[in-house]
Amino acid sequence: MSPEPPQVDKIPAICRNEEMAWDGHATTVGEMVAELLSEGWPDLTVGLSHHTDPGLLTVLLQNQVPGLQVKHDGAWVDVKRVPGTLIDNIGDFLQ
């Protein structure tokens, strides 16, 4: 619910508690992942991408839809799908 949290009274009462709890958990996960990344992953970044993501971090849930690629040694390489896994995509801001 960023960048600004909504006014609590604008969230329907039927799901208010659940939505606020979800936001708290999502924020905690985001902070934990960012902390782990700051401890070592930026030094391991390899290759360049065809496009860039301006943000800090994107977390992708792998599913049955193919298409994610990375550029390595001048060639586009398909990322093997492992359904149910998460991919942490480091954005320009963290780079």
Side-chain angles (χ1 to χ4, degrees), residues 15 19 23 30 32 35-36 63 68 73 77-78 89 92:
C15 63
E19 189 166 337
D23 184 58
M32 289 170 60
E35 182 178 328
L36 290 169
N63 58 19
L68 182 63
D73 289 335
V77 179
D78 291 327
N89 185 22
D92 296 342

Side-chain angles (χ1 to χ4, degrees), residues 28-83:
T28 299
V29 169
E31 290 171 351
M32 289 170 60
V33 170
E35 182 178 328
L36 290 169
L37 289 172
S38 70
E39 291 179 6
W41 278 19
D43 292 338
L44 301 177
T45 301
V46 177
L48 299 173
S49 63
H50 181 68
H51 71 278
T52 60
D53 294 325
L56 175 73
L57 173 69
T58 302
V59 179
L60 305 169
L61 173 62
Q62 288 280 274
N63 58 19
Q64 292 75 28
V65 180
L68 182 63
Q69 296 181 321
V70 296
K71 196 169 190 179
H72 182 67
D73 289 335
W76 288 102
V77 179
D78 291 327
V79 175
K80 181 180 177 184
R81 289 181 292 127
V82 181

Side-chain angles (χ1 to χ4, degrees), residues 1 5-25:
M1 290 194 257
Q7 296 175 353
V8 175
D9 60 336
K10 300 280 184 183
I11 301 172
I14 194 167
C15 63
R16 184 176 299 147
N17 291 338
E18 291 80 3
E19 189 166 337
M20 295 307 294
W22 176 88
D23 184 58
H25 293 299

